[in-house]
Amino acid sequence: MDIFEMAKIPLQQAIEAMELDENTASIISQPEKVLEVSIPVRMDNGKIRVFTGYRSQHSTAMGPAKGGIRFHPGVTMDEVKTLSFWMTCKCAVANLPYGGGKGGIIVDPRELSERELEALSREYIYKISALVGEYTDIPAPDVNTNGKIMSWMMDEYSRLRGYAVPGLITGKPLTLGGSLGRNAATGYGVLVSTKEAFKKIKIDPKTATCAVQGFGNVGAFSAQLLHDIGVKILAVSNSKGGIYCKEGMDPYAVEKYLQGNKGILAGFPGSEPISNADLLELEVTVLVPSALELQITKENAARIKAKIISEGANGPTTPDADEILKEKNVLVIPDILANSGGVTVSYFEWVQNLSRFYWTEKEVQEKQEQIMVEAFRAVCQAAEKYNVTPRVAAYIVALGRIEAAMKARGWC
Ligand code: NAD
């Protein structure tokens, strides 16, 4: 099963549980607009190479489309369409005034020189400029794209318009209107939703323990912020292996160690090695999968001992594992809720760009917390009302809001 097949199962369960109106269901089954573009780039050897790119706007019912741009050899139109639908749902769970979009180019960026990459980025945004814009469709970084690429795209689009348009795109560096708090935003969202889960099942964070799979952007911030509220971090891992400290570790010291040790966690003072598979099955209060998809499956779900799973990564748990975890009373905070901190602070970046008025990091975090707490509570209420898993409940919340917006606009 791939991640797209996987997303369809809880979605279908949500449609059935809430008896979603047939008209709404048929409108959201297709993106509103898709564009395929050819992108000729003069390569360093003087020859022209033509790349293919896509942009999909799934929905604009709740506001302009919002979603990243990925550079990957495996990008397809179908993938981009599905991911744009996912963004519609993620934005709606957080109740952001956005629909969903996604874009991509079929390319392995590691094969390009910096000049070629810049030329590709600029030509792509030029080619999709009829679709994107600060009030219509706002891109962001995704797999293999970053702040530098966003800056080139913002610049190219601004040249077309004749004035600076920072609100075109989010994930920019601070100097071009990026938001404070964006780097930590997804980890901060994992913290906020985990704190809500602690309250819900009456756990004092100071008595809690945690294991984090994937000590990258999301995982490292999650570990550090949970550590700050007193949670004991027992294990962390990355693609090169994991470490376990019976008495808990300082994730700030782990990050420093990692930087000086070529990205290898092994050998961190006071730790012993642990495999990624064993890490998932540790006796901990919270498990934060923040690396890859398809990690908790029907093979290992029965052996999971965590009371809470906060999904930092996209798609780490399969639907059949969800059922097993529900039976075991494990509280799973689904990806479209737990990792929505990233898109929430992207929304703040856009708001700041439109108003040309910038917030402090504290303001960003306070506003993020408010949005994510409300989203968490809405999902819990729906899970109780419809007696479904939190993942299905998150889709119910999203679809309910999208349907209400469509009805109010007279679309169905
Ligand atoms: P990242 O590249 O910064 O970190 C990923 C980490 O996972 C790295 O430490 C890597 O070594 C580790 N990893 C890779 N393979 C592994 C394996 N087999 N076992 C254990 N660890 C492994 O990426 P990120 O930005 O932290 O994203 C992680 C996940 O979170 C992805 O699923 C991503 O889609 C999702 N996500 C990220 C954001 C964001 O704002 N960065 C927002 C929403 C969702």
Side-chain angles (χ1 to χ4, degrees), residues 182 186 214-218 237-239 276 290-292 312-314 339:
R182 176 61 187 91
T186 307
F215 198 74
N217 172 283
V218 178
S237 68
N238 65 16
S239 57
N276 266 298
S290 50
L292 304 171
N314 285 318
N339 72 30

Side-chain angles (χ1 to χ4, degrees), residues 93-160:
V93 175
N95 212 5
L96 305 178
Y98 277 149
K102 205 76 177 189
I105 301 180
I106 306 171
V107 60
D108 182 350
R110 289 169 311 180
E111 290 173 357
L112 303 190
S113 68
E114 172 112 343
R115 192 204 60 78
E116 291 167 342
L117 190 63
E118 179 174 349
L120 177 72
S121 305
R122 287 183 182 275
E123 186 69 14
Y124 170 70
I125 205 78
Y126 169 73
K127 283 284 169 65
I128 64 165
S129 59
L131 217 54
V132 294
E134 57 189 336
Y135 295 111
T136 51
D137 180 353
I138 301 115
D142 194 80
V143 176
N144 291 332
T145 55
N146 53 29
K148 189 188 256 184
I149 293 174
M150 299 305 107
S151 303
W152 289 328
M153 291 184 176
M154 176 264 179
D155 180 65
E156 188 64 26
Y157 185 83
S158 298
R159 284 153 64 98
L160 260 176

Side-chain angles (χ1 to χ4, degrees), residues 3-4 7 11 28 58-59 62-68 70 81-102 140-143 182 185-187 189-190 193 217-218 289-290 310-316 333-347 368 371-376 378-379 390-402:
I3 192 165
F4 307 116
L11 172 69
I28 61 158
H58 174 263
S59 172
M62 290 182 64
K66 178 91 191 86
R70 61 175 55 182
K81 282 179 170 179
T82 311
L83 291 170
S84 68
F85 169 70
W86 223 335
M87 284 305 297
T88 300
C89 293
K90 196 180 275 198
C91 293
V93 175
N95 212 5
L96 305 178
Y98 277 149
K102 205 76 177 189
D142 194 80
V143 176
R182 176 61 187 91
T186 307
V190 168
S193 40
N217 172 283
V218 178
S290 50
S310 297
E311 294 186 339
N314 285 318
I333 312 172
D335 48 8
I336 60 168
L337 172 62
N339 72 30
S340 63
V343 71
T344 301
V345 176
S346 274
Y347 160 59
Q368 181 184 348
I371 285 183
M372 292 196 66
V373 166
E374 276 169 23
F376 185 95
V379 168
R391 193 180 317 281
V392 175
Y395 282 105
I396 290 177
V397 169
L399 294 173
R401 288 176 175 157
I402 298 160

